[in-house]
């Protein structure tokens, strides 16, 4: 971990960062190129050694094709999306601000530090196959120390509350600063697996952790391709462990899988992400993905389940694909988390079709042709999910040890919420009844 004497203040912001990459099946990274400041933008150059290296792959195309010279971000972007995918998001940035500037709680303003500082001050075991270093010749991983779930939970709570943390606990949480998302989390490693541990937040008014566990487990039981999850208890609170699918343990060590978010595939930045859509993603799948038809059907199933379980947080960073240098392959689903509903109506974060994003099965049916599905086939998928959700619910509620309050919040409000059935054709509308 970066020592106190080496901490960077905003006025000491770096001017360049070197990008290191794990090539397929490699357990050690090689330097790929350099990010430099160019006014308000961050430009990229591949290193000559990387361009000359046998087996080198573009970090991502069309953004960073394998060629010499300056590569500017796509129009409207300040940094290539495939590089931004490796940066910390809201939670990691809060931890970094806390550590570097000593600011706590509501005093934290994540805009105070620049993007290169966030890249260099976050942990090295970030999502995907990239890391960022100050050196082009020596790779020095920034790692945290081993800690129990109880200790990690304690750190997360202290950071949220603005309570100072000890250097030892600070090192424990550092490992997870490069992980995406806004919720408190940490990185966990066993002899053969790596996990992301997600904790409850001080702002939660319902059991968000158990809701996500139930949704992820249910999605898997419906036959969707979903990351493996486990539910644990630590410090008297629930913790969900999500197995990382971008890491593979081999006899030689850990390998990393290159990934890009749908936001990067769309060529959009954070502020423009709301203009992305399932319809656009379907076009990209047809043109650039392996097994496009199978992938389209999988994505339609995920869309339907998001609506049926009340997950409206399906933004473009919550969809991703593996990148092998030539083609894309949909990753397992993650971050399927039912959201609290304040009223009957709801909208998905990602547009579904045209300009429509209403969280209804009727909108799904309207979008079915984009997924190479007839209306009949789409209705069959929806019916199967509804019937399976009803059949699976009792056992999953028991497995998650849901209280009566938990069940009351989730069942009929999040899972199989009434608005999902609005304007659905008669056959589907008849399935609205909630047990």
């Amino acid at each position: 971990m970066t020592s106190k004497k080496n901490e960077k203040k905003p006025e000491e912001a770096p001017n360049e960062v070197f990008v290191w990459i794990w090539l397929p099946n490699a357990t050690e990274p090689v330097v790929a190129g350099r990010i430099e400041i160019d006014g308000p933008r961050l430009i990229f150059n591949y290193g000559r050694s990387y361009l000359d290296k046998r087996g080198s792959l573009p970090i991502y195309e069309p953004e960073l094709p394998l060629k010499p010279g300056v590569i500017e971000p796509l129009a409207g972007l300040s940094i290539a999306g495939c590089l931004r995918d490796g940066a910390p998001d809201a939670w990691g940035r809060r931890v970094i601000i806390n550590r570097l500037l000593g600011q706590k709680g509501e005093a934290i303003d994540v805009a105070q530090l620049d993007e290169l500082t966030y890249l260099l001050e976050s942990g090295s075991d970030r999502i995907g196959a990239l890391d960022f270093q100050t050196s082009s010749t020596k790779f020095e991983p920034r790692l945290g120390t081993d800690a129990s779930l109880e200790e990690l939970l304690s750190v997360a709570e202290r950071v949220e509350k603005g309570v100072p943390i000890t250097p030892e606990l600070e090192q424990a949480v550092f490992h997870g600063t490069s992980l995406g998302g806004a919720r408190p989390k940490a990185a966990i490693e066993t002899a053969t697996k790596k996990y992301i541990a997600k904790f409850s937040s001080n702002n939660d008014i319902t059991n968000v952790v158990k809701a996500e566990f139930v949704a992820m487990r249910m999605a898997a039981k419906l036959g969707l391709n979903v990351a493996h999850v486990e539910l644990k208890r630590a410090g008297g609170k629930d913790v969900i462990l999500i197995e990382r699918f971008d890491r593979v343990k081999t006899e030689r060590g850990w390998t990393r899988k290159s990934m890009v978010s749908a936001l990067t595939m769309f060529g959009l930045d954070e502020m423009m992400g709301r203009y992305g859509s399932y319809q656009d993603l379907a076009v990209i799948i047809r043109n650039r993905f392996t097994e496009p038809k199978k992938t389209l059907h999988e994505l339609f199933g995920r869309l339907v389940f998001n609506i049926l379980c009340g997950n409206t947080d399906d933004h473009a960073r919550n969809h991703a694909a593996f990148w092998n240098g030539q083609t894309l392959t949909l990753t397992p689903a993650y971050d399927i988390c039912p959201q609290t509903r304040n009223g009957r109506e709801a909208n998905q974060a990602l547009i579904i079709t045209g300009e429509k994003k209403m969280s209804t099965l009727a909108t799904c049916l309207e979008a079915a042709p984009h997924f190479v599905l007839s209306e009949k086939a789409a209705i069959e998928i929806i019916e199967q999910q509804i019937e399976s959700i009803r059949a699976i619910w009792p056992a999953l509620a028991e497995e998650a040890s849901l209280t009566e309050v938990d069940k009351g919040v989730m069942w009929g409000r999040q899972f199989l919420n009434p608005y999902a059935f609005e304007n659905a054709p008669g056959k589907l509308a008849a399935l609205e009844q909630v047990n």
Side-chain angles (χ1 to χ4, degrees):
M1 177 177 175
T2 305
S3 65
K4 294 288 182 183
K5 67 180 180 180
N6 290 327
E7 285 179 352
K8 293 184 176 66
K9 304 302 181 184
E11 64 271 20
E12 301 168 355
N15 294 316
E16 64 180 16
V17 166
F18 291 95
V19 180
W20 290 65
I21 187 170
W22 278 256
L23 292 170
N25 302 316
T27 57
E28 298 293 336
V30 295
V31 66
R34 180 178 62 185
I35 305 172
E36 294 180 272
I37 296 175
D38 180 35
R41 305 173 306 166
L42 294 173
I43 59 176
F44 178 79
N45 280 270
Y46 280 108
R48 173 54 61 186
S49 63
Y50 187 74
L51 291 172
D52 292 341
K53 183 179 179 61
R54 178 177 296 181
S56 294
L57 301 174
I59 294 175
Y60 178 62
E61 287 184 324
E63 276 197 313
L64 299 181
L66 203 58
K67 66 178 185 179
V70 171
I71 304 176
E72 299 179 353
L74 299 178
L77 302 184
S78 60
I79 181 175
C82 57
L83 300 176
R84 175 60 179 81
D85 281 342
D89 279 336
W91 167 250
R93 293 179 186 232
R94 285 175 61 86
V95 176
I96 291 168
I97 287 282
N98 185 309
R99 175 164 56 88
L100 294 185
L101 304 182
Q103 295 178 357
K104 314 290 191 295
E106 297 302 321
I108 288 178
D109 177 7
V110 297
Q112 291 178 88
L113 297 181
D114 66 288
E115 200 67 30
L116 294 188
T117 297
Y118 281 123
L119 293 176
L120 289 175
E121 295 295 339
S122 49
S124 290
D125 199 11
R126 63 190 75 243
I127 299 299
L130 301 181
D131 192 29
F132 306 93
Q133 300 277 313
T134 58
S135 172
S136 63
T137 58
K138 185 178 181 181
F139 180 80
E140 295 183 341
R142 299 178 298 277
L143 303 174
T145 57
D146 293 333
S148 67
L149 280 176
E150 286 79 7
E151 289 173 316
L152 293 170
L153 177 61
S154 172
V155 176
E157 290 177 338
R158 287 173 178 240
V159 170
E160 278 205 302
K161 294 177 181 177
V163 177
I165 56 179
T166 66
E168 292 76 19
L169 289 179
E170 184 182 287
Q171 284 201 347
V173 77
F174 176 77
H175 196 38
T177 53
S178 57
L179 303 175
R183 298 190 61 79
K185 60 179 61 65
I188 304 290
E189 182 176 331
T190 68
T192 59
K193 303 286 185 181
K194 291 196 178 191
Y195 298 88
I196 296 173
K198 295 173 71 172
F199 310 111
S200 59
S201 169
N202 294 328
N203 299 321
D204 291 343
I205 58 176
T206 61
N207 198 325
V208 176
V209 170
K210 281 191 173 180
E212 182 170 0
F213 172 78
V214 171
M216 292 284 285
R217 290 279 290 128
M218 186 174 286
K221 288 179 176 293
L222 293 180
L224 297 174
N225 182 17
V226 183
H228 173 72
V229 295
E230 298 177 17
L231 187 64
K232 303 291 184 180
R233 292 283 289 178
K237 294 189 176 182
D238 298 306
V239 181
I240 183 173
L241 300 184
I242 301 101
E243 185 176 332
R244 293 185 63 169
F245 44 73
D246 61 337
R247 297 290 184 268
V248 178
K249 184 63 178 291
T250 69
E251 293 181 355
R252 297 175 291 106
W254 290 99
T255 64
R256 304 190 180 196
K257 293 185 176 183
S258 179
M259 287 172 51
V260 291
S261 69
L263 193 66
T264 292
M265 290 182 256
F266 292 147
L268 300 174
D269 67 6
E270 300 286 349
M271 299 303 294
M272 301 296 287
R274 64 185 182 278
Y275 295 110
S277 70
Y278 282 95
Q279 180 178 343
D280 293 337
L281 185 53
V283 172
I284 296 171
I285 288 171
R286 286 197 295 272
N287 292 319
R288 305 192 61 202
F289 273 61
T290 58
E291 300 185 285
K293 186 175 182 179
K294 179 180 177 181
T295 302
L296 288 169
H297 292 179
E298 168 73 20
L299 184 61
F300 183 78
R302 294 183 189 185
L303 167 60
V304 170
F305 184 68
N306 281 336
I307 287 173
L308 290 176
C309 77
N311 174 35
T312 55
D313 193 35
D314 56 343
H315 56 79
R317 283 204 179 281
N318 280 343
H319 300 272
F322 297 120
W323 165 251
N324 66 5
Q326 294 182 320
T327 57
L328 296 159
T329 302
L330 196 65
T331 70
Y334 55 95
D335 276 356
I336 304 178
C337 188
Q339 303 295 301
T340 302
R341 303 177 80 91
N342 297 319
R344 177 181 172 84
E345 296 184 3
N347 290 305
Q348 298 304 116
L350 209 59
I351 296 169
I352 298 174
T353 182
E355 299 297 323
K356 297 181 178 180
K357 57 194 320 183
M358 296 86 75
S359 305
T360 66
L361 298 174
T363 313
C364 291
L365 289 177
E366 188 174 335
H370 302 308
F371 300 90
V372 196
L373 288 166
S374 65
E375 181 176 292
K376 178 182 178 183
I379 288 175
E380 288 176 354
I381 290 172
I382 295 170
E383 287 178 331
Q384 183 271 327
Q385 284 203 17
I386 294 171
E387 292 167 359
S388 296
I389 288 170
R390 282 210 171 90
I392 294 167
W393 170 258
L396 268 182
E398 183 176 352
E399 180 183 347
S401 299
L402 297 184
T403 65
E404 291 304 313
V405 172
D406 292 335
K407 294 177 185 177
V409 169
M410 295 182 202
W411 189 248
R413 295 187 184 182
Q414 295 171 334
F415 292 87
L416 301 188
N417 59 88
Y419 183 63
F421 296 87
E422 190 157 295
N423 297 321
K427 194 174 183 181
L428 292 181
L431 297 175
E432 180 183 349
Q433 66 175 28
V434 179
N435 296 329

